[in-house]
């Protein structure tokens, strides 16, 4: 397995860029199943979660071709409707592929996705609302078996604006003669990207980006080309890397408004932020101060950047209070950062941080995707050599993170570990 070797304590200076969005790519790759046609996707990140999703599509009978700057998927010859259990367990978010399979074949079989290190990750909102649009669900076998004659028109309301449940319901409702309305839908930019892609294929998805989404079924979809939106969580990760090292960075090829709550908080801690159409410039030459964070569904502060921002707050003067309102176990990574001298206390969904002057280097073991990235940033901040191992999580969601950080002047290399 790989590990990162980081010689920290240096201010980052320079410009870098982000790849295509992991969390937009996964539902859009699933959506390629529905058309039975050929799709060309550009700006898809070369990360483990995408590789696993492409494996699933191939197992289902899709033809997948990876070229230099695009992925071509032809789902014409697809016949299989069961998501392979071993791949389902590797990638819990592959549950949204079920919605796409049901849209086309009116049936699908898949296993429970299983939890991960940030929470139990149930799928009750997916299944309860599948039933409301006419999908019969049998949970008494090794697989969850879904089937329907057709998708039925229905106004549904989500108990919680779940990103995955919103995506799954949109995907399941694309084909047919029905009209499905999802109230209290998630409003994340990744859902807007999915809707734009589906409409480019000829679907009728209205209201994505608001909390009421309407899908009018259509009978056919067409060959399509589409470019995936930039990854807003990677954009935030690189900006926070600049902040935690007291540096001056510019991140290009991003959509600043996708992370405006994060930019506001970076200004509040004391960074200078300048925003242009598709780039953000950050200068952290001031002493940084503690702030409070509450993670919320979009357009609130994104839970995926809570581990990164919390790590920044370990060296901000004063006491910060962080409320993690989306996942029940998203502070686990902090136990590793504590080994670098961070002063923290965890009380349920609240993390209390008392800023220290600096962190010291250590050997760290990453526990999850964003927690692992947070450890890399802590290593960039701490003087001396920090090793971050167990990168199997990190490479799931970041393409060439070490190279992007070296673009900013970081002393970081990826080493084949034990
Ligand atoms: C998506 O996960 C993202 N993953 C997550 O990013 C992100 O943190 C999350 O949305 C919230 O923004 C992908 O898009 C692949 P949810 P998802 O359904 O869809 C509960 C990353 O680091 N819930 O909005 O799984 C759930 O337990 C990942 O890139 C139910 O209770 O998130 C959680 O507490 C991590 N029942 C909350 O809702 C359900 O049926 C939010 O989950 C579904 C969810």
């Amino acid at each position: 397995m790989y590990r990162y070797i980081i010689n920290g304590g240096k201010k980052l200076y320079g410009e870098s860029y982000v790849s295509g969005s992991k969390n937009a790519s996964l539902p859009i790759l699933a959506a390629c199943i529905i058309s039975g046609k050929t799709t060309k996707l550009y700006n898809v990140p070369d990360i483990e979660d995408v590789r696993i999703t492409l494996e699933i599509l191939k197992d289902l009978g899709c033809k997948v071709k990876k070229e230099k700057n695009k992925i071509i998927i032809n789902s014409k010859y697809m016949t299989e409707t069961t998501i392979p259990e071993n791949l389902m367990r590797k990638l819990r978010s592959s549950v949204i592929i079920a919605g796409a399979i049901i849209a086309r074949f009116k049936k699908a079989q898949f296993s429970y996705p299983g939890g991960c290190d940030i929470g139990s990750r149930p799928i009750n909102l997916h299944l309860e609302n599948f039933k409301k649009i006419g999908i019969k669900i049998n949970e008494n076998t090794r697989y969850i078996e879904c089937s329907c004659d057709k998708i039925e028109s229905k106004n549904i309301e989500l108990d919680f604006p779940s990103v995955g449940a919103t995506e799954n319901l949109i995907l399941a409702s694309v084909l047919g003669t029905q009209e499905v309305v999802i109230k209290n839908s998630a409003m994340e930019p990744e859902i807007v990207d999915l809707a734009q892609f589906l409409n480019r294929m000829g679907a009728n998805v209205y209201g994505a980006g608001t909390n009421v989404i309407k899908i009018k079924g259509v009978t056919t979809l067409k060959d399509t080309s589409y470019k995936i939106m930039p990854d807003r969580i990677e954009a935030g990760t690189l900006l926070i890397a600049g902040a935690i090292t007291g540096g001056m960075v510019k991140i290009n090829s991003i959509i600043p408004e996708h992370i405006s709550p994060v930019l506001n908080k970076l200004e509040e801690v004391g960074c200078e932020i300048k925003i242009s159409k598709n780039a953000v410039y950050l200068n952290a030459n001031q002493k940084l101060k503690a702030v409070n964070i509450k993670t919320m569904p979009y357009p609130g502060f994104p839970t995926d950047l809570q581990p990164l921002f919390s790590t920044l707050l370990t060296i901000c003067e004063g006491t910060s209070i962080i409320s993690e309102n989306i996942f029940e176990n998203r502070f686990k990574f902090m136990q590793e950062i504590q080994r670098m001298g961070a002063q923290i206390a965890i009380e349920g969904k609240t993390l209390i941080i008392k800023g220290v002057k600096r962190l010291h280097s250590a050997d760290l073991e990453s526990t999850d995707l964003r927690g692992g990235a947070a450890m890399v940033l802590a290593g960039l901040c701490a003087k001396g050599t920090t090793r971050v191992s167990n990168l199997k999580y990190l490479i799931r969601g970041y393409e060439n993170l070490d190279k992007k950080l070296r673009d900013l002047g970081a002393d970081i290399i990826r080493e084949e570990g034990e």
Side-chain angles (χ1 to χ4, degrees), residues 220-236:
T220 57
L221 298 169
K222 53 185 189 273
D223 290 355
T224 304
S225 295
Y226 193 77
K227 182 180 179 190
I228 303 287
M229 68 177 243
D231 193 308
R232 62 189 173 103
I233 305 303
E234 187 173 45

Side-chain angles (χ1 to χ4, degrees), residues 3-20:
R3 60 183 177 187
Y4 282 143
I5 313 291
I6 303 159
N7 286 316
K10 295 169 57 181
K11 292 177 187 291
L12 296 191
Y13 290 109
E15 296 196 22
S16 194
Y17 66 98
V18 300
S19 301

Side-chain angles (χ1 to χ4, degrees), residues 119-413:
S120 56
R121 313 294 293 274
I123 58 170
N124 59 305
L125 297 176
H126 300 241
L127 302 181
E128 283 161 17
N129 289 288
F130 269 1
K131 290 175 187 167
K132 289 177 187 167
I133 60 174
I135 298 168
K136 295 179 200 62
I137 294 180
N138 173 11
E139 296 184 63
N140 305 320
T141 66
R142 176 195 187 105
Y143 281 94
I144 298 171
E145 295 171 344
C146 302
S147 62
C148 64
D149 300 328
K150 64 181 181 65
I151 298 295
E152 289 164 12
S153 295
K154 191 78 180 174
N155 284 7
I156 52 184
E157 183 150 2
L158 295 181
D159 292 349
F160 179 87
S162 154
V163 171
T166 301
E167 291 167 343
N168 225 347
L169 288 159
I170 292 172
L171 290 167
S173 307
V174 163
L175 295 180
T177 56
Q178 76 287 338
E179 189 171 296
V180 171
V181 177
I182 308 168
K183 291 181 180 164
N184 196 29
S185 52
M187 302 193 277
E188 271 67 6
E190 292 77 16
I191 289 174
V192 176
D193 219 29
L194 170 62
Q196 282 173 348
F197 170 70
L198 288 168
N199 291 342
R200 179 85 57 87
M201 282 207 290
N204 287 329
V205 182
Y206 308 97
T210 74
N211 62 355
V212 180
I213 295 177
K214 180 189 289 186
I215 309 101
K216 284 185 176 174
V218 296
T219 45
T220 57
L221 298 169
K222 53 185 189 273
D223 290 355
T224 304
S225 295
Y226 193 77
K227 182 180 179 190
I228 303 287
M229 68 177 243
D231 193 308
R232 62 189 173 103
I233 305 303
E234 187 173 45
T237 301
L238 295 175
L239 286 166
I240 296 169
I244 202 169
T245 59
M248 187 162 59
V249 299
K250 182 169 180 269
I251 310 302
N252 299 308
S253 71
I254 65 174
I255 301 175
E257 66 262 20
H258 282 172
I259 49 169
S260 47
V262 185
L263 300 180
N264 295 341
K265 284 294 174 182
L266 284 168
E267 277 189 323
E268 200 181 326
V269 295
C271 297
E272 179 197 0
I273 298 282
K274 286 187 189 139
I275 297 171
S276 65
K277 187 171 173 305
N278 62 0
V280 173
Y281 161 89
L282 173 142
N283 187 348
N285 57 1
Q286 308 286 335
K287 180 121 195 67
L288 302 183
K289 303 271 185 244
V291 297
N292 296 335
I293 302 282
K294 284 185 188 340
T295 65
M296 298 299 281
Y298 194 87
F301 191 100
T303 175
D304 292 347
L305 283 171
Q306 174 270 106
L308 292 303
F309 211 100
S310 298
T311 303
L312 168 64
L313 292 171
T314 64
I315 53 133
C316 292
E317 190 180 18
T319 300
S320 301
I321 313 281
I322 296 98
S323 307
E324 174 49 70
N325 300 306
I326 307 295
F327 289 106
E328 69 265 25
N329 184 28
R330 203 161 199 178
F331 295 139
K332 190 172 175 191
F333 72 97
M334 258 300 168
Q335 288 155 13
E336 289 291 286
I337 312 285
Q338 233 175 334
R339 299 177 52 240
M340 304 174 82
Q343 301 288 314
I344 67 138
I346 296 173
E347 291 168 17
K349 290 196 153 191
T350 303
L351 171 64
I352 300 145
I353 297 177
K354 189 176 178 318
V356 295
K357 280 211 180 320
R358 65 173 52 77
L359 299 174
H360 55 72
S361 58
D363 285 354
L364 307 174
E365 187 96 7
S366 72
T367 54
D368 66 276
L369 167 56
R370 307 301 175 183
M375 291 175 201
V376 171
L377 268 53
L380 293 171
C381 166
K383 282 194 185 319
T385 302
T386 292
R387 293 175 186 77
V388 179
S389 56
N390 222 9
L391 292 189
K392 65 181 178 184
Y393 297 107
L394 208 137
I395 58 176
R396 282 188 41 208
Y398 289 96
E399 180 184 355
N400 296 328
L401 181 61
D402 47 321
K403 179 195 173 307
K404 290 165 181 163
L405 290 169
R406 281 195 296 274
D407 286 352
L408 298 174
D411 179 350
I412 176 172
I413 55 164

Side-chain angles (χ1 to χ4, degrees), residues 19-125:
S19 301
S21 164
K22 166 177 89 78
N23 292 348
S25 297
L26 302 182
I28 287 173
L29 286 167
C32 296
I33 285 173
I34 307 173
S35 64
K37 303 283 177 49
T38 297
T39 304
K40 290 178 185 166
L41 292 178
Y42 297 85
N43 203 33
V44 181
D46 182 14
I47 54 176
E48 191 59 17
D49 277 9
V50 165
R51 286 190 282 274
I52 296 170
T53 303
L54 293 175
E55 277 309 303
I56 294 173
L57 294 186
K58 280 191 275 191
D59 269 29
L60 295 172
C62 297
K63 300 248 180 299
V64 174
K65 196 171 166 212
K66 281 177 92 167
E67 292 188 1
K68 188 173 173 313
N69 66 339
K70 62 177 174 287
I71 293 178
I72 303 168
I73 295 159
N74 179 346
S75 58
K76 181 177 178 182
Y77 303 100
M78 176 179 160
T79 53
E80 185 51 62
T81 60
T82 300
I83 303 176
E85 188 170 356
N86 63 316
L87 294 176
M88 183 92 196
R89 294 192 66 78
K90 274 188 187 174
L91 181 63
R92 61 163 317 281
S93 51
S94 53
V95 64
I96 59 173
I97 296 176
I101 298 172
I102 292 167
R104 183 166 163 199
F105 296 98
K106 302 297 175 268
K107 64 175 181 172
Q109 298 74 234
F110 55 96
S111 59
Y112 271 94
C116 63
D117 261 72
I118 61 174
S120 56
R121 313 294 293 274
I123 58 170
N124 59 305
L125 297 176

